[in-house]
Amino acid sequence: MGRQETDPPLPDSLLNLILQSHSPHNQNPMKSFVNPQDLGCLQKAMQEALEIKQQRFKYQHLGKNKTLMMIFFNNSLRTRLSTQKAALNLGMNVIVLDVNAGAWKLETERGVIMDGDKAEHLLEAIPVMASYCDVIGVRSFAGLTDRDYDYAETVLNQFLTYSGKPVFAMETATVHPLQAFADLITMEESWARDNNLPYADGDPDKFSFEHKKMKAVLTWAPHCRALPQAVPNSYAQWMLAAPDVELVVTHPEGYELDPQFLSYTDPYTGETRKATVEYDQRKALEGADFVYAKNWSCPGVTSPADYGKILSKDMSWTIDAEHMALTNNGKFLHCLPVRRGLIVTDDVIESKNSLVIPEAANREISCSVVLKRILESL
């Protein structure tokens, strides 16, 4: 059934959770993870990431006799494997549920008459699933037809509200925080090596954001399918959360990201950092230290009627060697999977400056930090 005009109101939008800045004095344990504020001090989180990378099994005692349930409403490779590996490293048992492969089809909206092919409602399924586990990870993409519905984060919000268990986002309609955290870890490691910073050896105690800023460019690139905005939203949010990153976002007109993701107020210093939006891709790339290429469909910010649509397939935005030559010997990043020839050319993604493989490997590390924090709260 489609959405009904008379639907009862859903719980408060998760978008408010995503965008709020938590108090630095809030000592409440981490019960959910959707944004950088949930980690508290980002420098401490980075130090934990470096520590776990050196001693991946150090905290196995935390997960003993604890069960993680990973719930997938959409396909996955890196998220599935890295999250399961992180949980096993921490001593957890893991249950994986593919909602669309073997489970009853689930209705996710309230106020509908369930006379179609969906036999079970999510509001019954959630507490049942929660009774079998201690922690829940949810992956549910945007439908890209109704902006209000997607940006209300309906599915994840229901898990947060009705499961009674800690919930973390494995990519939602609007954010992909595990990916963005892994992106930041990868960039910090690369920057340390290239600039011979004190933590270049991976010593977590030496990590600090107090060094020369790195210029990161998030660039739209063409694609044959309409894709959600979750990855670019989170990348922008996390880069602004890191005080050592100068962020530039470039895209054709009509692809403007929600402005709430382009501004970040540091909960510790009160400083507000904003992304620079540049419609001239070549100008944006000048002097870039990192280039993050990603497609996204129209976010519907300047033209709500075009939400979720492909407005351009301009191949001049594809990242090739000529584009990378404009950078400061820049490193290339992408969340994967990537469409070669559309997003990026073979020579760029296969070059020594491509970080896509260590970036993917760091998904295990970012998730390990998050699960460790959640387990410590149980």
Side-chain angles (χ1 to χ4, degrees):
M1 293 286 291
R3 297 193 69 219
Q4 308 296 312
E5 294 297 327
T6 58
D7 283 358
L10 289 165
D12 291 343
S13 171
L14 179 62
L15 190 59
N16 292 330
L17 293 174
I18 293 172
L19 299 175
Q20 75 179 37
S21 295
H22 296 177
S23 166
H25 305 295
N26 185 358
Q27 299 301 314
N28 291 332
M30 193 168 86
K31 292 293 187 180
S32 64
F33 175 72
V34 292
N35 62 33
Q37 294 98 321
D38 288 326
L39 286 177
C41 176
L42 193 54
Q43 176 161 314
K44 187 175 187 301
M46 276 296 308
Q47 290 172 328
E48 286 185 46
L50 295 177
E51 177 195 23
I52 287 174
K53 198 160 189 177
Q54 292 184 341
Q55 303 180 71
R56 298 179 191 233
F57 305 102
K58 179 178 179 180
Y59 297 100
Q60 276 193 328
H61 62 282
L62 292 175
K64 184 178 180 181
N65 298 330
K66 298 293 190 296
T67 298
L68 166 66
M69 180 173 287
M70 301 163 57
I71 302 170
F72 291 89
F73 289 84
N74 299 94
N75 294 337
S76 172
L77 188 149
R78 276 148 295 278
T79 297
R80 180 189 299 265
L81 297 178
S82 62
T83 305
Q84 188 164 359
K85 180 62 165 62
L88 293 173
N89 289 353
L90 290 165
M92 300 185 76
N93 303 311
V94 180
I95 300 173
V96 179
L97 175 65
D98 288 294
V99 172
N100 298 316
W104 295 114
K105 289 188 177 180
L106 296 176
E107 177 59 68
T108 61
E109 300 189 42
R110 301 169 72 228
V112 300
I113 297 174
M114 292 174 56
D115 57 357
D117 63 345
K118 296 177 180 178
E120 186 164 7
H121 200 286
L122 192 59
L123 294 187
E124 283 78 65
I126 288 173
V128 170
M129 291 185 283
S131 70
Y132 305 139
C133 65
D134 302 283
V135 182
I136 298 174
V138 179
R139 183 175 177 90
S140 178
F141 292 174
L144 297 180
T145 58
D146 185 331
R147 189 181 195 278
D148 291 338
Y149 183 78
D150 288 343
Y151 274 71
E153 290 285 7
T154 307
V155 174
L156 183 60
N157 205 7
Q158 289 182 356
F159 275 94
L160 285 166
T161 304
Y162 300 114
S163 71
K165 298 293 172 67
V167 176
F168 65 96
M170 300 192 300
E171 186 172 358
T172 71
T174 65
V175 292
H176 196 352
L178 290 174
Q179 178 64 54
F181 187 17
D183 298 335
L184 181 62
I185 294 169
T186 306
M187 291 169 60
E188 295 289 355
E189 289 177 324
S190 174
W191 192 244
R193 289 191 299 269
D194 291 347
N195 293 275
N196 196 29
L197 297 179
Y199 62 94
D201 61 357
D203 186 340
D205 294 330
K206 297 177 182 177
F207 178 81
S208 170
F209 287 121
E210 296 180 3
H211 49 74
K212 177 185 175 184
K213 284 195 172 186
M214 41 189 164
K215 178 180 177 180
V217 176
L218 169 62
T219 176
W220 178 91
H223 202 282
C224 54
R225 298 178 59 189
L227 300 182
Q229 301 97 45
V231 169
N233 282 345
S234 274
Y235 184 77
Q237 188 180 41
W238 282 74
M239 294 306 106
L240 293 173
D244 60 345
V245 178
E246 173 192 342
L247 177 66
V248 178
V249 180
T250 184
H251 51 72
E253 292 189 14
Y255 282 97
E256 291 79 7
L257 297 174
D258 191 301
Q260 299 288 356
F261 293 105
L262 300 178
S263 177
Y264 182 90
T265 299
D266 192 308
Y268 289 85
T269 66
E271 176 191 5
T272 296
R273 296 186 282 271
K274 296 184 178 181
T276 298
V277 178
E278 174 57 65
Y279 293 100
D280 183 334
Q281 185 193 36
R282 292 178 177 273
K283 182 178 179 181
L285 291 171
E286 292 177 359
D289 300 300
F290 296 91
V291 176
Y292 201 107
K294 184 71 180 75
N295 175 267
W296 61 89
S297 60
C298 174
V301 173
T302 58
S303 178
D306 289 328
Y307 174 68
K309 295 180 180 178
I310 297 174
L311 304 181
S312 173
K313 292 185 178 181
D314 187 351
M315 295 289 288
S316 70
W317 285 75
T318 300
I319 298 299
D320 57 18
E322 183 181 352
H323 285 84
M324 294 302 291
L326 300 169
T327 70
N328 180 31
N329 193 32
K331 302 298 175 63
F332 177 81
L333 298 108
H334 189 279
C335 59
L336 300 180
V338 65
R339 299 265 185 160
R340 292 189 180 209
L342 288 175
I343 302 292
V344 62
T345 56
D346 290 341
D347 55 343
V348 171
I349 198 169
E350 294 174 5
S351 74
K352 62 180 178 62
N353 279 13
S354 173
L355 297 178
V356 296
I357 302 305
E359 184 182 4
N362 275 331
R363 289 291 305 278
E364 175 190 340
I365 306 305
S366 65
C367 189
S368 295
V369 174
V370 169
L371 285 175
K372 170 182 173 289
R373 294 283 189 90
I374 291 175
L375 287 169
E376 288 172 337
S377 76
L378 296 178

